Amino acid sequence: MAAQPAERTVLERITAMYDKFSQAEKKIADFILAKPDTAVNHNVSELAVSSGVSDATVIRFCKHLGFEGYYQMRLLLSRDMGRQNFSLDFVDNDGSSVQSIYRHIAESAMAAAGATEERVYREAAELIKNSSMVHLVATGNTTSLCQSMGPRLERLGIRCTYSILAEQYMHHINLGSSSEAVLAISGSGTSKYVVKALNLAKEKGMKSIAITAFLHSPVSGLADYLLLSSPQGKMENALFRTSRLNEMMVVEALIRVLGNTITNGKLDLVDSEMFLSESKL
């Protein structure tokens, strides 16, 4: 008996519906059917580039197949191919060694250091310094980076917002002006609310900075300044996709570059510490 649509694998769905696809959608189908191992590791923009279509066409293709979007299709394709989780496939032959873990962290840090030209860091720092307000945006487990970055920027004299709620930072951006800027953090580069925030910022005439692991992603394509958290703009080490460690290192580097460009940064830091001194022994 033929499998019901709900029981079909992603590849079976694509094959069954192939004749109903548009010519552009067939390009995506052809790529996935020919190279499923490659496709499952692509984000939406990478699949679009590999297939020769737009991001919007990839999303329409996924919805045509009956999925909520690309991420859902990618998860199920990963499952169909026998992987428990495409973002947790990191294997270390010496995984029990703490020194080995630190070595991987150090290697990842040095790789991230070379992923973006120093000029871009300095230009991004200048944008932050000269903006009347900087809106920090992220979603999910990445919001903690904004929460830690915000107070550090304020101690350097930078006015900023860093809400954990997408509704709030969208309101902040909507009420802003072209003298303000947005700094977006998204490891995958595909977070829906981060993409919406960057689109809104562009409508308001704001410049933007994005920290992400992927050279080709919806977030990367919208940013004026792109700070990559992985070598060659593609996360090779899956462990750091989920830990956000690489993005933390980029944030740290950016703050230090910024601090070196602000002449009164040391004075602001002392004033802030004096204000908080009563809370410490």
Side-chain angles (χ1 to χ4, degrees):
M1 183 174 64
Q4 296 300 313
E7 298 174 345
R8 289 173 175 165
T9 67
V10 173
L11 297 181
E12 288 171 343
R13 287 197 197 193
I14 293 173
T15 301
M17 296 185 63
Y18 188 86
D19 293 336
K20 298 180 181 179
F21 294 142
S22 66
Q23 289 303 311
E25 290 174 332
K26 285 181 178 179
K27 292 181 180 180
I28 305 168
D30 290 340
F31 182 82
I32 295 175
L33 292 172
K35 300 180 179 180
D37 287 320
T38 301
V40 78
N41 287 317
H42 277 352
N43 65 29
V44 61
S45 295
E46 290 173 326
L47 181 58
V49 170
S50 294
S51 304
V53 301
S54 67
D55 290 8
T57 301
V58 173
I59 295 171
R60 283 197 302 270
F61 169 79
C62 296
K63 291 184 179 293
H64 200 167
L65 285 170
F67 300 113
E68 291 295 323
Y70 175 70
Y71 191 77
Q72 186 184 69
M73 187 198 75
R74 185 183 177 199
L75 279 174
L76 293 175
L77 178 60
S78 175
R79 180 204 63 185
D80 295 341
M81 296 174 67
R83 303 184 185 185
Q84 292 183 350
N85 189 322
F86 64 82
S87 65
L88 292 175
D89 54 0
F90 175 76
V91 177
D92 184 356
N93 293 330
D94 192 21
S96 62
S97 167
V98 173
Q99 288 190 349
S100 175
I101 293 171
Y102 272 103
R103 185 179 67 252
H104 281 293
I105 291 172
E107 290 171 354
S108 183
M110 292 309 298
T116 305
E117 292 182 19
E118 185 172 329
R119 168 189 58 82
V120 182
Y121 275 92
R122 299 197 179 282
E123 291 177 358
E126 284 295 317
L127 174 62
I128 293 173
K129 183 178 72 173
N130 296 323
S131 296
S132 60
M133 180 74 75
V134 179
H135 304 286
L136 309 180
V137 303
T139 57
N141 68 344
T142 312
T143 57
S144 61
L145 298 188
C146 294
Q147 293 298 292
S148 63
M149 186 180 190
R152 295 183 67 185
L153 290 180
E154 290 172 335
R155 291 169 69 182
L156 289 172
I158 305 297
R159 298 176 70 242
C160 58
T161 67
Y162 41 96
S163 174
I164 63 173
L165 299 176
E167 293 87 349
Q168 289 185 345
Y169 61 64
M170 292 295 286
H171 283 311
H172 293 154
I173 296 171
N174 189 51
L175 293 171
S177 67
S178 59
S179 67
E180 301 174 15
V182 167
L183 191 153
I185 309 175
S186 173
S188 68
T190 60
S191 300
K192 185 182 296 184
Y193 284 112
V194 174
V195 171
K196 288 184 176 181
L198 287 170
N199 274 317
L200 181 58
K202 193 173 289 291
E203 291 176 14
K204 305 297 286 189
M206 297 179 188
K207 294 291 186 180
S208 61
I209 303 164
I211 298 174
T212 181
F214 292 91
L215 178 61
H216 299 293
S217 74
V219 166
S220 304
L222 289 168
D224 295 292
Y225 299 97
L226 181 61
L227 303 179
L228 293 170
S229 58
S230 67
Q232 291 81 50
K234 181 175 179 60
M235 185 64 76
E236 301 294 343
N237 187 336
L239 173 65
F240 296 107
R241 292 186 206 156
T242 54
S243 73
R244 301 280 71 86
L245 182 58
N246 276 36
E247 286 72 42
M248 289 173 62
M249 292 185 288
V250 174
V251 167
E252 184 65 31
L254 179 59
I255 289 177
R256 295 195 180 207
V257 170
L258 176 62
N260 289 336
T261 69
I262 299 177
T263 57
N264 67 336
K266 185 176 181 181
L267 179 60
D268 290 340
L269 179 60
V270 172
D271 289 344
S272 177
E273 286 298 325
M274 287 297 293
F275 177 75
L276 296 173
S277 63
E278 293 183 0
S279 67
K280 302 179 181 179
L281 294 175

